[in-house]
Amino acid sequence: MPRTPAPDEGDLDSIPPPHPVFHVEQALLGALLLDPQHLRDVTGIGPDAFSTAAHGALFAAIRSLPAPDPVEHAKNTKWLAAVLTTAREQVRGLTAPHLHSLIQVCPWPRHAPAYARMIEAEHARRRLAAAAQRLTHTAGDTTFPQHMATTLTEADALALVVDDISARFPPHAGSLPRTSTPEPVTAHDEDAVDEERLLLATATAHPSDVEQMRWLMPGDFTQPLHAGLWQSLIALTRRHAPVDPVTVLWEARHRGLLGPGAEPRELLDLLAGPVGSPEHWAERVLQRSLLTTIRHVGRRIEAFTDDPATTPYQLVVGSRRALADLSAVRTRWHHATASPAQADKTARTRAAKATAAPRARPPRATGPPASRSSR
């Protein structure tokens, strides 16, 4: 009877080789096991910086035990046995031969600080990738309670990770990432199309509200035709021209918006069905735009972290540029959703700065100057 292979037997070729940082971790651990005195030169990393639980457990054990006397350590393996016992409390599969193999693969123990810096850099990459993935997932999952607030909280957490990496690896000139980033994806969403049409219709019916919604930009629309019609509305209101479906149609004609799929009758029908208030639909359009921007930012940063050629310095520069794009849309979102009290407070603050009285000066003397007393 033929022997049935185990599920994973014969499939060893499908197991991916370890990442380069795995070998760096082995070299660092071997250096510290061979000469524990090098631990004082290792900074910037903890057990969580290692890519495997076994490596993290060994580093934690080495760090928790007092360094042995160099002479005694060269004569016996008592300290190595203590490290193994301590590490086994977290990972039971560790063996003494494994520790000796780590010592054997270490090229130069005195290079321990360089190995630690490499591990710190790869840990920064993993942290940034995880934060970007959480942001992308949160932005796309509408089941989260208070979805918008939760997503923005994740964006803040990602920014904190970038700041921390920047403090560890300050960027320098010429450190732009060379990674090709994904193009923005705008999926066809019937709800988004309907909301944009309702916004255009209600804004045409209430043009006085358009001037108050400067926080909404043509780029927030998912349909180029809708973006062009919004630009037409803005142009008419800024010129204080009459606004109705016919005047918007005429402005759209001058902007080259008419054509197949945008016939005059269709545009007139689109602009003639107002429901609700322009502010409500504009906020809906901007919210979708903000979530789309957040997802794209997350994917851009993930692309940086997936490229092994991207250095920590380049990760910082690329991530900050991506977050700057998000900040611009986020600022407009805050303007749109600020409460009347907040908006009034902001307006008063700006007005006070603009009309601030000059500093008080000593009053001018109107009478003859007082005579100086003789000394």
Side-chain angles (χ1 to χ4, degrees):
M1 181 175 180
R3 182 175 65 87
T4 303
D8 297 331
E9 190 176 345
D11 196 29
L12 295 179
D13 292 339
S14 64
I15 300 176
H19 292 286
V21 72
F22 179 85
H23 302 287
V24 178
E25 293 171 4
Q26 286 186 320
L28 175 63
L29 293 172
L32 298 179
L33 291 170
L34 183 63
D35 189 352
Q37 304 299 326
H38 286 301
L39 182 61
R40 63 191 172 206
D41 302 321
V42 173
T43 59
I45 61 172
D48 61 332
F50 290 80
S51 61
T52 70
H55 288 176
L58 282 172
F59 183 77
I62 292 171
R63 197 170 62 170
S64 66
L65 296 173
D69 178 77
V71 177
E72 290 297 322
H73 185 55
K75 294 179 180 179
N76 57 64
T77 61
K78 290 183 179 179
W79 186 79
L80 293 178
V83 170
L84 181 61
T85 300
T86 304
R88 275 177 174 171
E89 295 176 2
Q90 300 182 42
V91 179
R92 295 184 179 181
L94 290 172
T95 62
H98 179 62
L99 267 63
H100 290 288
S101 68
L102 292 175
I103 294 174
Q104 292 173 354
V105 300
C106 177
W108 294 100
R110 65 174 179 268
H111 292 169
Y115 302 150
R117 187 64 167 169
M118 298 175 193
I119 294 170
E120 183 181 7
E122 193 61 22
H123 184 224
R125 182 189 304 274
R126 293 199 303 271
R127 289 174 58 208
L128 186 59
Q133 289 167 4
R134 285 195 302 270
L135 177 62
T136 304
H137 173 71
T138 305
D141 190 348
T142 57
T143 62
F144 279 104
Q146 297 183 332
H147 181 225
M148 200 69 245
T150 304
T151 303
L152 294 177
T153 299
E154 288 295 344
D156 291 336
L158 173 60
L160 289 176
V161 172
V162 174
D163 289 343
D164 181 66
I165 297 174
S166 176
R168 296 168 180 265
F169 300 90
H172 47 73
S175 55
L176 283 173
R178 298 181 295 273
T179 308
S180 299
T181 56
E183 294 294 329
V185 177
T186 304
H188 183 75
D189 187 334
E190 290 295 339
D191 290 339
V193 173
D194 290 342
E195 289 170 357
E196 291 173 6
R197 291 170 65 95
L198 288 168
L199 167 60
L200 293 169
T202 53
T204 302
H206 306 281
S208 60
D209 295 337
V210 174
E211 192 67 17
Q212 307 302 319
M213 296 186 292
R214 294 187 177 184
W215 37 262
L216 188 66
M217 306 295 290
D220 296 324
F221 290 80
T222 61
Q223 304 297 312
L225 173 62
H226 296 169
L229 291 173
W230 182 250
Q231 288 178 308
S232 300
L233 276 165
I234 293 175
L236 290 172
T237 56
R238 288 182 178 174
R239 295 201 305 261
H240 302 287
V243 177
D244 60 34
V246 174
T247 60
V248 175
L249 172 66
W250 197 249
E251 182 70 22
R253 176 177 179 268
H254 289 164
R255 293 176 177 270
L257 299 178
L258 302 184
E263 301 297 337
R265 184 69 262 170
E266 294 175 354
L267 292 187
L268 289 173
D269 292 341
L270 184 156
L271 298 171
V275 177
S277 68
E279 293 86 351
H280 169 75
W281 300 118
E283 286 186 17
R284 293 288 297 170
V285 171
L286 181 56
Q287 178 175 317
R288 288 181 186 276
S289 176
L290 177 55
L291 289 172
T292 299
T293 301
I294 290 173
R295 289 194 294 269
H296 180 56
V297 166
R299 286 192 294 266
R300 282 174 63 185
I301 295 178
E302 284 187 64
F304 296 147
T305 61
D306 289 342
D307 185 356
T310 306
T311 67
Y313 312 100
Q314 293 173 324
L315 287 176
V316 170
V317 174
S319 298
R320 281 185 168 170
R321 289 203 171 191
L323 289 170
D325 294 341
L326 170 57
S327 179
V329 185
R330 187 173 179 177
T331 298
R332 293 192 286 114
W333 170 253
H334 284 312
H335 283 308
T337 57
S339 65
Q342 292 173 327
D344 183 60
K345 181 179 179 181
T346 302
R348 290 199 308 269
T349 301
R350 290 178 179 174
K353 290 181 178 179
T355 61
R359 287 185 178 180
R361 296 179 180 178
R364 291 183 178 180
T366 56
S371 59
R372 296 182 181 179
S373 58
S374 56
R375 293 183 180 178

